[in-house]
Structure formats: structure tokens, C-alpha cells
Amino acid sequence: MTSQTTKPDVDGEKKSAPKKDTTSGVADKAFVAGTNILEAKEIAETGYAGVVKIVGKDSPVLSNMIQLADKLVDVGKIVPFIAPAFVILKIIIDIEQKAREVDEKCVDLMERINFLVSHLVVLERIHNVEAMMDTLTAVQDTLKEAAALIEAYRKQSKIARRLRMSNMQNFEQMAGKITTCSSDLMMSLQIQQTGDLSILKRVVPRDRIAENFIRENGGQDMINNDPELVKKFAEKVNLTMSDQVMEQMQSNMQELITRNQSQIEAIVHESSSIGVANMIKAIATHQRELEAELKLTCVQCDKEYNVSTNGPESCRFHSAVGNYDRYHCCQKTSPCQKGYHQPEHHSKYPYSSFFLWSYGILAPKDTVAYWVNIKEIDLEKDDDTIGQVVRVGQLIRWRSWGELVTTPLMLVNVGHVKDDMPYYLEVFDVASLEDTRKMILRTGQTCIFRNAPETETAAFSMGEWVMDQETQQISGIKLTVRVASSKTPTVCIVPLDPLLLKMPDEASVTYHSRCSGGAYKPDRSYEFPETIQLGPVIPASRLREPRSFRTKISSPNIPLLLTPAWEMVANNNVKLANNQEDRFRGTWRALNRSPLSSQKQIILLSVKFEYRLMGEPTYKPVKSFALRDGVKLPLTIAPSQAIDIPWEFLVDKPEHCQGGSLLAINYAHLTIHQPLRLRVICTDIEGEEVSLIQEYVHGVIGATLPAPEDLGFFFVDKIYECQRTSVRISKSAYPDRYLLGITAGFDPMIKITEVDLRKIVAKAEKTGITEVDMKLGVRNLGIDWNIWALVDLSCRRVYGFKVLLYHGSMTKDRVSASLGYAPCPIYGGDDLETRPIQYAEESKIVPTVAHWED
Ligand SMILES: [Zn+2]
Ligand SMILES: [Zn+2]
């Protein structure tokens, strides 16, 4: 297998395409070959690295070296002169395979060596190798020195490696030598490399912690002779001191390197190149077998695949989301796209399973702790889904309620993740961020993603890496968001600790500018006029409780006791309710108090129902009355016996309530303002009279009341309907979803978001009208209303709502109106600049109503 087939990257983005050259000639061939090698190397680094990372195999730079050594062996069959080169590579491979941990300096040096060696592969096509002898000897000497350095460096303990500044100098010198050697070689080979020389140009990784420690503690000599200081450093970086450390600190590095070099020379001299070649072949074959066995599952098609056979047409997928088995991309069921299988989710191009996966991360609230989450919408457009979004944060779990992730992961999202829009969504771990850093150093390319072409300057989202020029580390992410309705973009920098993959402690996101339309903090609180309430209002409590009365008897000879069994009810039977009379019902309990022995029966012959409304001087007869449930006169009550007497009576409604379409159910029109007193007089067989009075008092009907979460509650009542029409403006129960709710009449609550308010402000800024009709009003019903948002142009915010309710044109008598104000909660974040307030210019509304006579 060659590294080409492991390439899990189908778009070839950021990779220099092989240049097609039709002219013949050695130089041209060499050029093409050289470019191919560079490309192969690049693929190996990016594509193969991805696979290796997953299986946790050796470092990609080492396997790349193995592959190059393998190729050199083949070249060596044609150009035996280069045998020492692959022998030296074998020595380095041995050292690094034995090394227990990856070392940044060694990796860097090996990458440089790989670059240099990759050019030697061209030699098999060069006819006049003899002419290049000097250059090739220099290459082999350089390789020998490099191998000697790596060997000497690896022999030191971790502490000594870090604390000896000469290590840094040696690696820097070595990098310089490889650069010189590479350019000589390329010149001899006539490779006109114009592009990627950044491996050579970049700086050798530095160990700032160690450097600072040495500087702060009096320099290298001080440390070399002070075990306490070395111990202090070891503790600082969590390493354990061993006995050899001080010895290593004081040893002569140069001597060691020179000794290694002569040993290597001896090995090169003594070893048979055929033997080494066979060993290299064996290692490379083993490496290939490992890769060939490697089976991964593709995130695009969900199939298991073999890494070695993954090709550009292996995977079949759709590029958009599906609806049942039809996909938006092609309206078909069978996959319409082909490409490499991909082992991990990516946003290089759209595929259908990505959307479900990303939705599982982006939609819940418990998956990502965002350091910055900017959403800007075009305030002049109605569609809120169009707009820009950028966000960066720590990934806590992969799906809602899922297990917490244990390694630091960073999520970067630029642009809305939708199948018809350009977007970027990646999750970085420390290693992939390091890969990114290397890519930046190599290409100079810092742009993470821009969701629109460079020519589009009015609306776009963009993310860029910020590099620390001194440490050559990624130090942050710069985010830029622009919408068409804003004169300025929102630009901010998220600081980043690339090793811990989080924002450094006590660091915060810095904003360089913000999209216009952002609100300011008012310098004082807003004041609002009192609510004007005109017309009759449904009382919030009962007029009073009904009074109770004693039985009145005309003679003590009649031992009858009357008591109401329960409270009187009005119009409780929907079927019998009419628009002429109010119907009252009740039940009395009649008790014959005579002892059982007396045998004295009470026989009631007749009853009379009279009533008066409170305030009226005299009782008058009811319109009609009747005993119910089969109870009939005369009524006989045995001694010590009680019987129930259910009854009902009708009384005319007040004149203005008669004949309309309106029915009163469970209340009576007659008694809305005054209690009714009923007097019933019973006459017994001896002509004696027994009477009882019972009251009916109107209850609380139709009076909905403000709730604790209401910022404003406005209403007008239809008093005879016992019906309240209200407009309530209330605080949000879910502040992260909407800012406040408006519930008007019987309509469901309308959720008002911060975006809605920002749009209102944008409109007010454009038109100059600061009292903005929210178009939530209703007209031509019994009761109409209108709601305006009041805009403070100075603080660029909606600061309150004005609500007017009134009897509309369908109401005969317009007797009620209400005009009031509700404050708007302060929105827009906590870190707002303060500005003086400026009230809206309101139209003069003076609600007027017809005189209310009642
Ligand atoms: Zn499709
Ligand atoms: Zn696939």
C-alpha cells in the first residue's frame, strides 16, 4: 500500500496539485518526480496522520521515514552510492522506535530529514550521478551528524534534555545544516522548488518553560552545578529526578555527539547494505501489513472498510438530509455522491449523516460550554434563520445526557450547519490542534473557514487562527461576523491555551467591534404614566357573604324550623337559561320540632315567594315559582321529621339585558350589582304563617387576575357578560428561548425574542417613529386592543410597551377602556456601555367612553 490510498481527504484542499509538464528532459522529469514526492509526503502527513492517530500507532513522521527508507532501498539498487543514506535512516528509525515518548525536537528534525531525503528518490532517474558526488557526500555527512545528535539527545533523561540549552543550539545548528544541504541538493538536481519550503524555514520548537527557568535562576552554569535547582525544575514540570541527571547535565555533549558520529560511521562502513536493505524492507512490509489489517467504520455510509483499499470511489453517500428515503440533494434513494470512506466526522463537504450528528451536539444545552457564541441576524430581513453564527467552546459530552468526555476537546463552528449552506464544524483535541499548528507553519494559511467568497463583504462568518509569533503556538481564534443590516462587523478574539485546550485562566474574549444594532444600558430606570382604567370593572371579590336568617313564626304553636339546605344558585341549568328571566333555585329543610309522642303533624297548605334587591324598600312578588322534584302541596311533616323542599323562582332580568343574544349561566343579570333577598311565607292548615329569608349574592365570575410573572396586565370588562378581555405582558419562563410573552384576548401567547426587539429598534432608527405598532392588535371584535413598543433611540432598545384596550365598534355602548404601560426587561447582555435614556415620542391617546349609568 502506498500512502496515497489512505488519503481520507477527497477535496484535495490546500494541497498543491501536481504540475503537468509536457516538455521532456531530465530536469523536468526530476521536477515532476520531486513534486510528486512532496505531494506524497504531504498526503502522508495529513491523511495518514489521521488514521495513525486513531489506531494510536507510531508517530506519522516515523512511518513516513520508514516509507522513504523503503523507497531509498529501491533507488539504491540503481544508485548503490546512496546505500549509506538508508543505513543511517535505519539507525534513526531504530532509535526512535525504541524511544518511549514522542519528542517535539526529534519530530521536527526528522521532518527536516525526511524533506532532505525525499529528494534523493529522484536519483534513480538521473543519468549523471557522478557529477553530483560532492553534494551527495555532503548529504550523507549531514545525515550522519543528525543521527548522532538524535542518539546523543535521546540518551539524556527528560530533565537533562529540557534543561540543557546546548540541546536547543545543536538542533538549531542541525536545522541550518539541513537547509543548506537541501538547497544544494535541489540545485544539483535542478528541482525548481518554488513552493513549499516552510519545513526548512520554520523555527525549531522551543521549550519556553525551561528557557525561562534557566534565565530566572542565574544561567546554565548555575544550574549545571546545583542539584537543588535541577530538582526544583523537575518538580515544576512533574518529572522525577534520577541519580544520572546531574552527571548528564555536566557531561560534554559535543564529545558525545562526535563519539556517536564515529560509531555511526563504523556501522555504515561495516554493515552490508544488503542486510540493512532487507531489514528496512521487513520493517516497511510490517508497517504496510499493519495498515492493511486496519479496519475502520465510515461515518458517511456507516460501513466497515479496509484502510488499504479505501479509494476515491469507495464510499457512497448523499450530500443532504433525507425525508424518509428521499434525499434533498437528488430526490432519490440511492446515494448520489462518491468519495473516500472517512473514519471521523468532518465538514470538508456535506454528507447526510453529518447533520444528525452535528444536531446532536449543537442543539442540546448540556453538550458544549461555549466561550463565545455569536449569532447575528439581518435585522432588515424577516427570516430569522438566515444570519451568521460563530461559536467556540469546550465540548463536554457528545450528546445530551451522554457521558462526560475526559480529554479536553474544543468545538469550532463557523456558519449555520445546513445542507444548503457552507459551514464548518470541527472538534479538536490537543493532537489535532498540533497538526493544525504544523499546517499553519508550513502553509502560512491561518483562515479556519469563511462561509462566503472573499468578494462577499456584506454578510459572512469567518474564523481565523491567531499565532503567537514568538512561541509559534496557536494563541487564539479570531472570529468575524458581518450582516448586511450592520455598518460594522462583530470582531472578537478568543484566547486559547493550545496545550490545555481551553481559555487561559482569567483571560476573556476581547471584542474589537460589534455589529451595530446592539443595545446600550440605560443610565436610569424608565418611568411610566399611571394606567387609565375607564368603565365598570368586574369586582375581584364578592360583594359580601350572604347573611343567614332565623325562621319567623306567627305563633309559638307551630313548631316548624326552616333552614336553607345550601346556597341558592342562579341559572345553573344551561338548557333552561333564557334571555328574559333569571332563574334561581334552592332547597330548604323543614323540621317538625314536636316530640314524637305528641303526634302533632304540620300540614303546609300554601307558600308565597317575594323578593327585593338590596336598597329597595319593599318585597314584591316573584314572576313565578314552583316546588320541584315532585314535591306537592299540601305538605305533611310528621313529628320529629325533616323533609327537603326544593324550589325555583323566576324574576325578570333588568330591561337592558332582556332580549339580547346574551345568556347568563351560573349567575344572574339581576344581581350583578346588588344582592337579592328572597322571602318565602308558608301557611299551615290552621292559618299560621312561617317565613324565612335567604339571600343570593353574586360571586366572583370572569375576573382573571394578574400573575406574579406579569410585567403588565391590562383589561376591559363586559360587565353583564362577566367577561374580561385582557392583554398581559409577562416575563419569560424560559429566558434562553425568548424574552417575554404577550397574551392578548383568548389567543395563545406570542413569544417575543431579543431579535424581535432589535428588529423593532432597527425599524425605528430607519423611520424615526419611536412608538412602533407591534401589529398584534385586534379590531372589530367586541373589545379591541392595540400594542405599541416604545423605542429609546439613545439606548437603542425597546424600553416599554403601551397597551390600549377599548370597546370596539361591535359593542353598542362603548363604556370601557384601558390605557397602560408595561416595562420591558433589560436585554442585550451584562457588559453594555451606559447611555442616557431618551423616551419615545408617543401619539396622544385620550381614551373616551360613553357615560356609564349603572
Ligand atoms: Zn443524493
Ligand atoms: Zn463510506
Side-chain angles (χ1 to χ4, degrees), residues 4-189:
Q4 187 97 36
T5 50
T6 60
K7 176 189 174 192
D9 187 344
V10 87
D11 57 357
E13 197 186 9
K14 292 172 193 162
K15 290 182 178 65
S16 51
K19 291 182 185 110
K20 296 265 155 40
D21 203 331
T22 47
T23 56
S24 55
V26 174
D28 290 329
K29 274 186 198 158
F31 173 72
V32 173
T35 330
N36 283 341
I37 293 156
L38 281 176
E39 199 193 323
K41 179 187 173 303
E42 180 123 23
I43 290 160
E45 265 184 18
T46 54
Y48 180 67
V51 176
V52 167
K53 201 173 66 204
I54 295 158
V55 293
K57 283 299 300 165
D58 300 315
S59 72
V61 63
L62 181 60
S63 53
N64 192 24
M65 186 173 275
I66 294 170
Q67 286 166 27
L68 280 167
D70 185 31
K71 273 190 194 139
L72 273 196
V73 169
D74 294 337
V75 180
K77 287 170 191 159
I78 300 161
V79 192
F81 180 71
I82 66 159
F86 66 71
V87 176
I88 299 163
L89 284 186
K90 171 73 173 49
I91 291 168
I92 299 174
I93 290 165
D94 284 348
I95 296 168
E96 282 299 309
Q97 277 185 331
K98 268 180 225 144
R100 253 176 271 155
E101 76 286 312
V102 175
D103 185 283
E104 226 188 351
K105 286 194 181 64
C106 290
V107 168
D108 176 76
L109 181 55
M110 283 161 72
E111 277 181 305
R112 291 170 202 267
I113 294 169
N114 285 350
F115 180 87
L116 172 63
V117 170
S118 66
H119 293 88
L120 295 177
V121 178
V122 185
L123 287 172
E124 64 180 328
R125 300 177 189 200
I126 305 259
H127 302 297
N128 189 10
V129 177
E130 288 73 24
M132 296 176 57
M133 221 46 114
D134 287 350
T135 317
L136 292 176
T137 310
V139 167
Q140 288 179 6
D141 286 346
T142 309
L143 288 175
K144 242 177 269 169
E145 270 184 62
L149 172 60
I150 290 175
E151 194 179 6
Y153 179 73
R154 280 290 191 189
K155 274 180 186 157
Q156 300 171 60
S157 69
K158 245 185 177 179
I159 301 171
R161 285 209 309 254
R162 294 187 67 172
L163 263 186
R164 292 191 63 152
M165 286 316 290
S166 57
N167 281 333
M168 182 67 202
Q169 287 147 14
N170 287 330
F171 273 91
E172 277 178 343
Q173 277 169 15
M174 201 61 237
K177 280 180 190 169
I178 291 177
T179 304
T180 314
C181 197
S182 296
S183 51
D184 287 353
L185 178 64
M186 282 155 75
M187 214 181 293
S188 312
L189 291 168

Side-chain angles (χ1 to χ4, degrees), residues 610-627:
E610 296 170 332
Y611 82 100
R612 71 181 174 96
L613 294 175
M614 293 313 294
E616 289 175 349
T618 52
Y619 283 93
K620 48 200 174 189
V622 299
K623 192 175 181 184
S624 68
F625 70 87
L627 301 183

Side-chain angles (χ1 to χ4, degrees), residues 260-503:
N260 286 343
Q261 217 170 314
S262 43
Q263 277 169 4
I264 289 169
E265 247 160 56
I267 294 169
V268 170
H269 193 71
E270 288 158 15
S271 61
S272 104
S273 63
I274 296 162
V276 177
N278 287 341
M279 271 190 268
I280 290 173
K281 283 277 165 206
I283 295 172
T285 308
H286 179 62
Q287 185 91 5
R288 271 194 291 274
E289 278 166 5
L290 276 181
E291 285 155 20
E293 280 167 14
L294 193 59
K295 277 208 164 120
L296 296 173
T297 303
C298 173
V299 293
Q300 292 169 175
C301 63
D302 207 25
K303 290 196 178 96
E304 197 176 69
Y305 67 96
N306 211 312
V307 175
S308 57
T309 55
N310 190 10
E313 296 193 357
S314 301
C315 183
R316 299 293 167 116
F317 58 95
H318 285 282
S319 61
V321 290
N323 187 9
Y324 296 102
D325 58 351
R326 299 277 154 173
Y327 288 79
H328 293 172
C329 36
C330 54
Q331 302 304 325
K332 288 193 175 112
T333 305
S334 335
C336 60
Q337 308 285 324
K338 51 190 159 188
Y340 287 88
H341 288 299
Q342 300 283 356
E344 277 184 298
H345 279 292
H346 63 89
S347 53
K348 283 177 267 196
Y349 49 85
Y351 54 94
S352 48
S353 62
F354 181 79
F355 299 100
L356 199 63
W357 175 78
S358 63
Y359 187 76
I361 295 174
L362 296 175
K365 301 278 172 205
D366 61 345
T367 45
V368 188
Y370 289 109
W371 304 324
V372 66
N373 187 353
I374 302 170
K375 279 179 198 154
E376 297 290 354
I377 40 126
D378 193 332
L379 297 174
E380 281 158 23
K381 281 195 182 126
D382 287 334
D383 189 351
D384 286 356
T385 59
I386 302 174
Q388 303 295 336
V389 61
V390 288
R391 43 197 161 185
V392 178
Q394 186 199 347
L395 187 89
I396 305 168
R397 38 169 77 88
W398 287 100
R399 72 175 86 86
S400 193
W401 294 93
E403 265 181 46
L404 291 171
V405 296
T406 47
T407 50
L409 295 174
M410 177 176 70
L411 176 135
V412 180
N413 171 216
V414 180
H416 283 289
V417 179
K418 291 183 83 176
D419 58 6
D420 54 352
M421 286 171 140
Y423 60 82
Y424 176 91
L425 173 68
E426 288 289 343
V427 175
F428 289 88
D429 60 7
V430 174
S432 59
L433 193 70
E434 175 61 16
D435 289 347
T436 306
R437 181 180 84 96
K438 284 178 185 157
M439 180 74 96
I440 297 168
L441 292 174
R442 201 160 55 237
T443 62
Q445 179 65 259
T446 55
C447 183
I448 301 170
F449 189 69
R450 196 182 197 278
N451 68 348
E454 289 290 332
T455 47
E456 169 62 69
T457 53
F460 65 90
S461 301
M462 181 167 64
E464 293 162 280
W465 299 111
V466 179
M467 294 296 287
D468 183 320
Q469 288 312 319
E470 199 191 332
T471 60
Q472 301 277 313
Q473 290 286 347
I474 291 172
S475 64
I477 297 175
K478 182 181 174 188
L479 301 168
T480 309
V481 175
R482 176 101 200 233
V483 286
S485 64
S486 168
K487 291 185 196 87
T488 49
T490 293
V491 181
C492 71
I493 289 182
V494 188
L496 185 65
D497 182 331
L499 300 177
L500 299 175
L501 215 57
K502 60 169 199 161
M503 285 221 288

